[in-house]
Amino acid sequence: MRVLLTGGAGFIGTHTAVALAEHGHEPVVLDDLSNASEEAVRRAAAIAGLEIPLVVGDAGDAAVVGRAIADHGIEAVIHFAGLKAVGESVAQPLAYYRVNIGSAVATLEAMAAHGVDRFVFSSSATVYEQPGAGLREDAPVGIDLGNPYGRTKAMIEAIVADAAAADPALRAAVLRYFNPIGAHPSGEIGEDPKGVPNNLVPFLAQVAAGERASLRIFGDDYPTPDGTGVRDYIHVLDLAEGHVAALEALEPGVLVANLGTGRGGSVLEVLRAFEAAVGHDLPHEVVPRRPGDAAISTADPSRAHELLAWRATRTLDEAIADTWRWQQRNPRGFRG
Ligand code: WQD
């Protein structure tokens, strides 16, 4: 299928474009490049061995999305476009509502106007009201969450459900990511955060590269085996393949599925994995907990296993090794 990836120049989008091509699909990227680079799409195309058209434009503008759909004969859309920094969303809530809600609505409107009825939405485990271990899709989801970013994801899930209720032809999947990490084994594409990384693995990669002095471990007094936070770290290639599986499994209605490994990794375990990859200790210090952090957040991925015939197969060590390769070869990300 010819698939439009809104926000497709980003970390998850580029890896998904490669996975789509590997499964015989034809990805087209629409991105305003506000938080991504054209080089990333070029490299994804080189890995995939086919041209990946890039439309530079605003996914919040239904006319722009509609033109991309018409110009490229689009048959399905995977919607990645949006702002995604939890802390930033607290400081700039209106921007998050405008961009995240606006781009989802504009994209769905453009699809309806052009008769495209296959839609995959990039959601997040952050929508769960109560983080915990083995989260199932029927766990409470709400907007009474810790941050506007998570609220936009929960609201867009509701928008997708309402759109599907109004249009029986709409085939939608809502994919709740846990903690995406890693990079393509070629070392050519990977996560390229702007500024100081909020997330553990990209920050640790910069500590390993000597760009950051030390890893601050946000609390070691959690009720977890080693006291540090536990998360479900999923290799970005597994995540990308989950999107292809969801696209190919679409049926009328909305399928909601967790994309996680079902296994937890602690901050200290991630640190040790990184030290093993780089071959020496990495500077770190324990500091107080980060407000809003949960002790543990891991998926029960059984619905995705059953309904998508998909399973994460890559290990934490593989993801860290792939991250380190990407970091070493691209110390300035795509900025060269
Ligand atoms: C992981 C663990 C921290 C940084 C966030 C978003 C979520 C999703 C993924 C988009 C926690 C600890 C972190 C550091 C640390 N993003 N940590 N020192 O918070 O689980 O999820 O990213 O959808 O929506 O909330 O990921 O990588 O920030 O934290 O000790 O410098 O690492 O306390 O236990 P998180 P994270």
Side-chain angles (χ1 to χ4, degrees), residues 86 124 149 179 198-200 216 218 231 233 290 293:
V86 170
S124 167
Y149 164 77
N179 287 64
N198 298 307
N199 296 141
L200 174 66
R216 293 176 305 152
F218 297 144
R231 295 292 184 273
Y233 295 102
R290 179 170 66 177
D293 272 359

Side-chain angles (χ1 to χ4, degrees), residues 204 207-209 270-283 317 320-321 324-325 328:
L204 199 43
V207 170
V270 172
L271 171 64
R272 299 303 173 223
F274 233 109
E275 290 177 334
V278 302
H280 58 76
D281 290 352
L282 293 172
D317 287 340
I320 296 302
W324 181 229
R325 185 180 307 108
Q328 282 182 301

